[in-house]
Amino acid sequence: MISNQRVAVVTGSSSGIGLETSLTLARNGFLTYATMRNLNKSENIISLAETEKLPLKTLQLDVVDDRSVENAIRSIRAESSRIDVLVNNAGYTVNGAFEEHAMEEIKAQFETNLFGLIRVTQAVLPIMRRQKSGIIVNISSAVGRFGYPGGSVYVSTKFAVEGLSESISYELEPFGIKVVLIEPGVIRTNIVNSMVTAKKSQDPNSPYSQLMQKVVRSLERMMENGSSADVVAKAVLEAVTTENPSLRYLAGKDIESWMEAKRSMSDEEFYKMMKENLK
Ligand SMILES: NC(=O)c1ccc[n+]([C@@H]2O[C@H](COP(=O)([O-])OP(=O)(O)OC[C@H]3O[C@@H](n4cnc5c(N)ncnc54)[C@H](OP(=O)(O)O)[C@@H]3O)[C@@H](O)[C@H]2O)c1
């Protein structure tokens, strides 16, 4: 039997934005594949889905693993025959002075945040192209549009996601496939606990030590006032249920003013403001 139910796939659904987005999509009628690399973390989402009788299934998908991605997408296609929404959410942050990052730390960050997104998107695109419809939602960041000290590697991955998304939107439009960037501000999730700090930047004798400490204190302050993950989930829902979605959606209470500053200030003024924020 062919169902009209729209099918959504979300990566990194074990916590934070991915978990909230999977639940929100399922609550709004999408048959949702809440994928995660470690299914041992699926208890919470499964129990919520059972209690609320949501159309939600969990599935193993590690974005850095070719075979895991292939298997997951193949089994979704076999079971549901279509994928209408892909939310590329899986990611983490590395922090540290650029000079002190080991190449392995940099490559690992790109492997998840950029190549992981590419791997999953390339696996899903043939399905969307054949069905002549679909929407790819890439969870970028406010820092997909401006840099900050200590964030050079993470920020680079998000700038890359922005450039990639903007470029493929031209290629995919003729096939009825839309591309959306979600740019969250500071959101209270597990991202702080999973943050990786460059080994050399942890050394108190590092020449960047003072600056890095300021950055971490400022990130912690911002996190305390961060928005909850449901504001991002709502932005995703809006994007995937609107007939003509915008390329970019901001999400989070602080983000509008940051973007306004970025739009209205010269690079020099913005730089000065960022430095003030780090005091
Ligand atoms: N929180 C913020 O302030 C903020 C702001 C802007 C953008 N973002 C972006 O939002 C996205 C989600 O982050 P979050 O804040 O919700 O953090 P989070 O709570 O730490 O969630 C990150 C998710 O990504 C998963 N993940 C990491 N590596 C993976 C891999 N190789 N394969 C599959 N899943 C993987 C994690 O799985 P495990 O549980 O197994 O680690 C987890 O489910 C990220 O792309 C992040 O850059 C966050």
Side-chain angles (χ1 to χ4, degrees), residues 135-252:
I135 177 161
I136 313 272
V137 179
N138 291 333
I139 307 296
S140 174
S141 171
V143 302
R145 302 244 240 141
F146 56 83
Y148 66 93
S152 59
V153 177
Y154 176 65
V155 167
S156 303
T157 65
K158 294 300 185 182
F159 266 60
V161 166
E162 296 264 335
L164 178 140
S165 306
E166 213 170 297
S167 303
I168 64 173
S169 69
Y170 293 95
E171 296 176 19
L172 300 178
E173 195 252 319
F175 300 104
I177 303 167
K178 291 164 181 143
V179 181
V180 162
L181 281 158
I182 307 286
E183 298 173 327
V186 179
I187 311 292
R188 275 178 282 106
T189 64
N190 203 35
I191 201 154
V192 179
N193 304 324
S194 64
M195 185 164 81
V196 174
T197 301
K199 277 207 187 74
K200 285 187 183 168
S201 291
Q202 294 173 27
D203 182 345
N205 296 320
S206 151
Y208 298 96
S209 176
Q210 267 193 341
L211 175 61
M212 287 306 116
Q213 281 170 24
K214 274 189 200 167
V215 170
V216 169
R217 274 200 300 276
S218 147
L219 286 176
E220 282 168 356
R221 263 199 317 272
M222 285 196 281
M223 233 350 129
E224 276 168 27
N225 295 316
S227 308
S228 64
D230 70 301
V231 300
V232 186
K234 280 184 191 141
V236 174
L237 181 67
E238 189 190 332
V240 303
T241 50
T242 305
E243 198 173 333
N244 291 308
S246 308
L247 176 63
R248 289 186 170 85
Y249 288 80
L250 303 179

